[in-house]
Amino acid sequence: MKLESQVTGNIGMYYACYRLSRMGWNVMPTARNARGIDIIAYNRGGTEFIGVQVKALTRRNPVPLGKSLDTVMGDFWIIINNIGQEPVAFVMKPEEVKALAHRGEKHGKVSFWLQPKAYDTPEFREAWERIGYGHAG
């Protein structure tokens, strides 16, 4: 079954919310299709906040980053692929996304992508511990 892009995005965002909640974070998805952060999470004591961008893919595909790397923001990026089957998550920091981004140019238009070989590495694969635990505060 082919999933619509909005459904794929929703699955990814709510999967990330589920995983973060299991780690003790209080999570709040932001308005869908708004630019910027997809999830705001705070620890038990309300003393630490993190902003998370989520990119959901149905397969192990490149992640589109847009026309500029200025849109890469937040404290963490969670890329989730294989969304229609058994999701696989990759946890990265924005500066890592920017450093590993591929710049493409077609018909004079520039676009940036994160290739699978850049994000699908042992360092990032299921590396939820990079975020830390929300019940620690």
Side-chain angles (χ1 to χ4, degrees):
M1 176 177 73
K2 179 158 173 36
L3 298 172
E4 294 179 25
S5 62
Q6 185 171 0
V7 173
T8 298
N10 285 341
I11 294 169
M13 182 182 60
Y14 287 110
Y15 180 76
C17 287
Y18 161 76
R19 292 295 303 264
L20 290 168
S21 294
R22 291 205 46 195
M23 294 170 62
W25 292 98
N26 291 301
V27 299
M28 297 177 293
T30 61
R32 291 298 291 144
N33 297 322
R35 291 188 185 268
I37 303 303
D38 297 311
I39 298 169
I40 296 171
Y42 59 96
N43 68 356
R44 177 179 63 189
T47 57
E48 184 181 352
F49 292 81
I50 58 171
V52 179
Q53 280 195 303
V54 179
K55 296 296 181 186
L57 306 163
T58 55
R59 294 187 301 269
R60 186 180 177 270
N61 288 337
V63 178
L65 302 176
K67 296 181 268 189
S68 167
L69 293 178
D70 293 339
T71 59
V72 177
M73 61 181 70
D75 298 301
F76 293 96
W77 267 54
I78 301 174
I79 298 164
I80 305 169
N81 65 19
N82 202 33
I83 215 76
Q85 304 291 316
E86 196 61 40
V88 180
F90 304 89
V91 180
M92 302 178 75
K93 295 184 177 180
E95 54 272 16
E96 295 164 337
V97 172
K98 289 178 182 180
L100 295 169
H102 168 77
R103 182 184 185 275
E105 192 169 338
K106 190 174 186 179
H107 306 298
K109 294 188 179 188
V110 174
S111 61
F112 291 89
W113 299 82
L114 192 60
Q115 298 295 335
K117 66 182 178 186
Y119 70 81
D120 190 350
T121 67
E123 178 184 3
F124 304 131
R125 182 183 278 260
E126 297 298 337
W128 294 95
E129 71 279 356
R130 297 184 82 199
I131 297 172
Y133 294 89
H135 48 69

